Amino acid sequence: MSGIPSDIPGLGSAGLCLRQNPRFKPAEHGIGPEDYFVWSRVDGSTSVRDLILMTGLATDQAIAVLRKLRGLGALLLPDESPEQNAARLFQRAKKGER
């Protein structure tokens, strides 16, 4: 994947500014250094597109890390609360999704 798509499955628009979930505890999820590095750059004011560019990772690799973090509940959408995120994760688990 060479360019950054305008819409990223599992994340949404590349223009969104994701936020860290204050309830997420990296140590409890065993994320690796690369995942933690990307997670630490999420600040609520940097777009997904800019996060991908600033990590220095290949585009597809950065997207995979962001999707993984979103799947773990580490990242919130701009208007999403930690409670809504927990409910989303619960519903996914109930359906057997990852």
Side-chain angles (χ1 to χ4, degrees), residues 3-96:
I4 299 172
S6 59
D7 189 59
I8 302 169
L11 294 174
S13 168
L16 285 177
C17 296
L18 301 173
R19 299 178 295 123
Q20 289 183 353
N21 183 348
R23 295 186 179 170
F24 181 76
K25 307 288 185 244
E28 292 177 9
H29 292 276
I31 65 173
E34 184 175 88
D35 302 328
Y36 187 84
F37 173 78
V38 173
W39 181 75
S40 72
R41 299 305 181 261
V42 177
D43 61 7
S45 61
T46 303
S47 70
V48 170
R49 178 179 291 103
D50 288 341
L51 286 168
I52 291 167
L53 294 171
M54 74 186 331
T55 64
L57 301 172
T59 300
D60 57 346
Q61 188 177 8
I63 290 172
V65 170
L66 288 166
R67 291 182 68 198
K68 175 183 176 180
L69 291 169
R70 176 76 177 144
L72 290 172
L75 304 176
L76 300 174
L77 298 175
D79 295 327
E80 184 178 38
S81 71
E83 294 79 18
Q84 290 168 320
N85 189 39
R88 176 186 64 86
L89 293 174
F90 176 77
Q91 288 301 318
R92 285 183 57 200
K94 192 173 167 181
K95 292 179 185 177

